[in-house]
Amino acid sequence: QVQLVESGGGLVQPGGSLRLSCAASGSIFRINAMGWYRQAPGKLRELVAAITSGGSTNYADSVKGRFTISRDAAKNTVHLQMNSLKPEDTAVYYCNAEVYIPRGYNYWGQGTQVTVSS
C-alpha cells in the first residue's frame, strides 16, 4: 500500500503563487509515477501535472508555463509550484501515485483546497 499526504493548499490572490507538496510512504518501491489532479465543482477530475520515476513530466495545456512539478527522491516527495494563479485554477488538488504492481493501480491523497480569489 501507498499512503499520500498533501500539504500547501490555501487561499491566494490572482497572480499569486502556491507550492503544493505530497509525501509518499509505504510501498514506495512500487511507484512508477506521481502527479497532481484537480477537480472543481461541476467539472471532471483532470490531470494537472505528473512526473515519472525517470523524470519525465507531463502537464495539462492550461497550466503549461505556469506550474512546475518536481521531485525529491530522497524524501519520496513531489512538489507542484503554482505561479500566476488564475481564478479558474480553484479546485481541490489531489496527489496521485501510480504503481507497477498491481499494474496501473492508482493511489490518492485526501485532497487539498486551492482557492484563487480577490
Side-chain angles (χ1 to χ4, degrees):
Q1 301 293 309
V2 174
Q3 295 79 44
L4 304 172
V5 179
E6 301 128 320
S7 62
L11 173 65
V12 296
Q13 303 293 316
S17 298
L18 281 175
R19 182 176 174 86
L20 305 183
S21 298
C22 176
S25 61
S27 301
I28 56 175
F29 60 91
R30 293 184 175 180
I31 296 176
N32 180 52
M34 294 183 67
W36 293 92
Y37 288 70
R38 68 186 181 188
Q39 187 166 26
K43 294 187 176 181
L44 298 174
R45 186 174 297 188
E46 64 174 350
L47 174 70
V48 177
I51 186 166
T52 70
S53 60
S56 298
T57 58
N58 187 37
Y59 296 93
D61 288 342
S62 60
V63 307
K64 287 181 179 178
R66 300 189 297 120
F67 293 6
T68 302
I69 189 168
S70 61
R71 62 177 179 174
D72 183 341
K75 294 183 178 295
N76 301 307
T77 300
V78 295
H79 305 281
L80 185 67
Q81 180 65 45
M82 308 165 67
N83 298 328
S84 302
L85 284 162
K86 305 174 180 179
E88 51 263 46
D89 295 318
T90 296
V92 177
Y93 284 70
Y94 296 92
C95 185
N96 167 267
E98 180 183 284
V99 297
Y100 294 108
I101 301 173
R103 187 170 183 82
Y105 189 84
N106 286 269
Y107 293 88
W108 297 91
Q110 80 284 357
T112 185
Q113 178 70 46
V114 172
T115 302
V116 185
S117 176
S118 298

